Amino acid sequence: MSEADLGGGEGLSRRNLLRTGAVAAGGIAIGVGAREAVAAGTTPDAGVPATVPFHGRHQAGVATPPQAYAVFVAYDLRAGVDREALIRLMRIWTDDIARLVDGRPGLADTEPELAQMPARLTVTLGLGPGVFDATGMAHQKPTWLKPLPSFGIDRLEKAWSGGDLLLQICADEEMTVSHALRLLTKDARTFVTVRWVQRGFRHSAAAAGTGASMRNLMGQVDGTRNLDTAAESSLFWIGDRSREWFGAQPDWITGGTSQVVRRIAMHLDTWDELDRTGREQAIGRRLHNGAPLTGSHENDEPDLEALNDLGLEVIEPFAHIRRARSDDPRQRFLRRPYNYDEPPPAGQLSSSGLIFATYQADIDHQYVPIQRRLDELDLLNTWTTPIGSAVFAIPPGCRKGEYLAQSLLA
Amino acid sequence: MTTSITTRPATRRLGIRRTKTMATALVAVVAAVTLTACGGSDAAPATQASTVTIENPWVKEADSGMTAAFGTLRNASDHQAVIVSATSSSTSSMELHEMATNDEGEMVMRPMKGGFVIPAGGTHKLDPGSDHLMFMDVTTPIKAGDTVTVTLTFADKSTMKFTAPARTFSGAKENYEGHDDMDGHDHMDMDDMGHE
Ligand code: HEM
Ligand SMILES: [Cu+2]
């Protein structure tokens, strides 16, 4: 399996390239991510509904350039839902998703008109630890599929943590996300109950162009140094290479990945007390363009050794980007975060933060060591608090005629 | 009611491929037409069943009692096709239902006289609140995500089989009024199909 293999239906075709080129020439801004956008099947032509293929070696919604809106919904299995019942649920969801991402209504869809605008809809299925126990398949559970160790900074709330099943629903249109959430949830209601729902947003492509790094609600450019979804895919898609690096994984998850969903609250009221210099030092990057404090462009490589006149590190020892790196190049993962901004509790001004979603071949070997470093020291912790945490195994994609998680359940 | 015989050759080969494609057929969304009851050689005229397909078929989940199947029937021939009856192993009997206003001015479902007519080159939609294939008494629970097999019989006695995936559905709670029951004594409805 080659590193550059994007797999799935997300192949790069010349016809699509030409098409996007023509669109770009037509005046629609397409940033550095144009290549990925094309690879994910984006067709921003006016009047043509943009679709991301569902069938393929990998599930969509991971390597797919992030859409503007997301909802993460975690479900708990109802008592008595066994393997046979789970297969039935997978058949239902597979059929629903294949239709919806294509702009077609679900079979028993009571609002079929709301399916007409797929807007790059992707729905990604995740399996929580509980699924394996409930269905008698504990022996198929990947070793990393368990709640993260507890960290000193954590103030986890049950309302945002855990879950037996996850659907990550993303699209460039909020109505599309809502409709998909409603259909997929009600079609599953005899199998599951809703545990939590987290809604998130990023810049819309219409306003910001595709491909540019997003900004989070602290105002920072977020996503500069992330995995290259093509060249570094073995760091998240599980296969021969990832097994070589991180050790054995069950066969069924080949072509899949793992997902961490952390809900991280931002304390914007105390963040407001900090001046721009302080804010830039907390991260180690400039606010106006995301450039490292040792460079001038967003993509300049930060110089972690650089010293100022006083002989002190320009990028502080406590800076988020210094702490979020390790010497081991395999301790990296794909970040695909969304902002959230919910009604504040009584007496407060806001309730905002990040739905911090990451994908990696092995949570224990890639995610946990970095989260540990940040737990030990990261100035950003002064203004952020993890309040939710959940982990899921993301099964591989499925071919036509198969259902999601078939490699596990069949 | 007319029995239309078209002059197009039968496509009976479809039926023979069943064993090979068993696995795919289980999850097929648009059911393949499978002929079971037409005699004669390959040169025989096309039966009604052989020119009709059903798109997006599905059935409402039910543990027992009544339920219904829906979908869009499509007739590819240039003669109309008429469905006169239906059967399924999941129910003791089936009826072809339409919605109509009874004497009290209520919308009720009742057997469709003359069956479902699918015009030449046209479609006939089966939807909640409209025409549907009625399962009168579910004998084996129809669970969401399962599929049931339905056999349709046409006016020319040809038959077509399709599979319909089951979905949990809150609608389709129509009142039932049997043909000989115009005074409303024997009302049934699909309300009591709970499965929680
Ligand atoms: C609300 C919480 C967080 C905020 C606001 C935040 C913000 C940022 C920003 C602005 C950057 C620099 C731009 C970039 O390279 O993307 C960054 C980089 C990064 N963050 Fe975070 N982050 C948060 C939480 C986390 C957590 C929980 C982790 C991991 C457990 C993490 C891992 C990383 C990594 C790996 C990088 C790239 C570092 C590098 O290689 O330069 N971040 N983050
Ligand atoms: Cu009926």
Side-chain angles (χ1 to χ4, degrees), chain A residues 133-155:
Chain A
D133 305 322
T135 56
M137 290 184 298
H139 58 291
Q140 295 286 12
K141 197 197 297 186
T143 50
W144 41 257
L145 189 62
K146 52 182 188 265
L148 295 185
S150 51
F151 298 99
I153 51 173
D154 288 358
R155 298 290 177 272

Side-chain angles (χ1 to χ4, degrees), chain A residues 78 84 88 91-92 95-96 99 107-108 110 186-187 189-191 401, chain B residues 27 29 56-58 61 143-146 165 167-170 195-196:
Chain A
R78 286 178 182 275
E84 179 273 333
R88 285 190 283 115
R91 289 210 153 105
I92 294 171
D95 181 70
D96 282 344
R99 289 166 188 270
L107 273 184
T110 43
K186 73 178 178 181
D187 269 358
R189 67 191 186 269
T190 57
F191 304 91
Chain B
V27 287
V29 173
N56 303 321
W58 64 281
E61 176 183 48
K143 297 187 202 157
D146 270 345
R167 292 289 182 272
T168 312
F169 192 71
S170 311
H195 36 66
E196 304 299 54

Side-chain angles (χ1 to χ4, degrees), chain B residues 10-93:
Chain B
T11 49
R12 292 174 57 237
R13 273 161 298 136
L14 278 171
I16 300 162
R17 288 225 245 88
R18 260 174 80 210
T19 38
K20 261 195 203 161
T21 55
M22 229 26 166
T24 1
L26 273 173
V27 287
V29 173
V30 176
V33 178
T34 309
L35 299 188
T36 49
C38 73
S41 69
D42 274 359
T47 60
Q48 293 185 15
S50 70
T51 64
V52 171
T53 52
I54 185 161
E55 292 162 10
N56 303 321
W58 64 281
V59 59
K60 175 173 166 166
E61 176 183 48
D63 281 344
S64 59
M66 301 173 92
T67 192
F70 312 97
T72 301
L73 294 156
R74 188 175 291 280
N75 178 1
S77 83
D78 47 10
H79 291 76
Q80 75 171 25
V82 181
I83 295 168
V84 294
S85 67
T87 57
S88 167
S89 57
S90 310
T91 174
S92 50
S93 69

Side-chain angles (χ1 to χ4, degrees), chain A residues 216 218 220-225 264 266 283 285 320-321 324-325 333 335 354 356 367 371 374 380 384:
Chain A
N216 61 41
M218 289 177 137
Q220 303 145 352
V221 176
D222 196 338
T224 303
R225 205 160 175 278
I264 307 177
M266 293 175 171
I283 294 289
R285 289 183 176 273
H320 182 68
I321 63 164
R325 287 173 180 220
F333 36 84
R335 290 179 287 140
L354 269 190
F356 188 77
Y367 183 90
Q371 180 70 77
L374 296 180
L380 203 56
T384 61

